[in-house]
Amino acid sequence: MTPPAAPRRPAPVLLGDAEVRARLTPATATAAVRHALLEHQAGRLAAPPRLHAGLGGGELVFTGGALADEGGQGVAGVHGFRAYGTADRAGEQLVAVWDSASGRLTAVVHGQELGPRRTGAIGAVAVEALARTGGPAGCRLGLIGTGPQGWAQLWALSASASHRPAEVAVFGRRRERAERFAARVREELGLAARAVDSARAAVQGREVVIVATNSPTPVLEADWVAPGTHLSTLGPKSTTHYEIPPELAERAAVIATDSPAQAGSYGTDHLLGPTPLTALGAVLAGTAPGRGGHDDITLFSSVGLAGTEVAVAATLTRA
């Protein structure tokens, strides 16, 4: 007698950039990373520092995470990893997600879109938690950098109820690229964006400043940042390569990061290493102070909390 065949497990969902663009909304991504940040603070998101495997001319980098099952809360336990190569100039990444209860591989996401949009969502949560409220008209935002990371920051903030930018001043090294970037922001995100002639013009008089460059030297001066400004930095932050001036740390009332453990893995090489860093999740949970006054300068150092890319990828299987 032939034994019954084992039940077939559903194949994992395979998603590329087109599916990410179609399925992932700013609100969904932001909600997923906010939840992950709070779960990390509560000890229910395992998020070890990233691992590096040397491969001759570059490295293969892994970040892993496991989000605990919250029985009765409608959030299933998942775990997975993200992998990318430092020699890959295309910026393609792979994210794999498993259902923790069954051990089934549920999703594999590859391409260039998920990573920046996850980082953009973390940045939007940081702005909502640390920046002054822009009021009914929204906030005035300055952006230095015209690459995918800068775009994703605006994409995520475009759905913010409290901090949707009322106007965006964009500066890039190439004026024509900044003009094209601003036009795309106007057309696709519906934000009033314009290119400006200098980094100073992008920074001065803004409630929110986002710096998203690959520059090894500061792209702005500390005294351009007015009291009350929130600044997010996404680019180089080592003691030898840094896109913001170290003096900003001295002026900031709060310096937050999405992953103190990841920031700590830099050791003494992190630009802000000697400065106590506040976990963004702790600010969200109310266990650490955020902005204390109208004129406080707040600084967010984005390093990439492991597991948030798995949390965002998991939402795509439910979209």
Side-chain angles (χ1 to χ4, degrees), residues 1 11 15 21 132 173 250:
M1 184 175 178
L15 303 170
R21 286 190 293 266
R132 294 188 308 202
R173 287 180 299 172
E250 301 170 7

Side-chain angles (χ1 to χ4, degrees), residues 21-116:
R21 286 190 293 266
R23 295 189 184 198
L24 187 63
T25 68
T28 299
T30 302
V33 300
R34 182 183 290 109
H35 176 73
L37 286 159
L38 285 167
E39 291 299 281
H40 184 240
Q41 182 64 24
R44 292 189 291 267
L45 171 67
R50 61 176 60 98
L51 300 174
H52 299 256
L55 297 175
E59 293 181 319
L60 190 60
V61 185
F62 295 88
T63 62
L67 189 62
D69 192 334
E70 300 176 46
Q73 301 299 313
V75 178
V78 295
H79 64 271
F81 70 87
R82 173 182 60 149
Y84 59 94
T86 58
D88 176 16
R89 300 304 179 190
E92 292 200 333
Q93 303 180 3
L94 181 146
V95 178
V97 184
W98 282 263
D99 174 79
S100 297
S102 66
R104 184 174 71 87
L105 179 65
T106 59
V108 176
V109 185
H110 64 92
Q112 300 173 300
E113 291 288 346
L114 183 65

Side-chain angles (χ1 to χ4, degrees), residues 171-193:
F171 175 74
R173 287 180 299 172
R174 299 177 182 176
R175 174 72 189 212
E176 65 278 9
R177 182 168 179 175
E179 292 280 8
R180 290 195 302 268
F181 183 96
R184 184 187 174 200
V185 170
R186 293 193 298 270
E187 293 165 9
E188 297 186 24
L189 302 181
L191 301 177

Side-chain angles (χ1 to χ4, degrees), residues 12 77 128 276 292:
E128 291 176 344

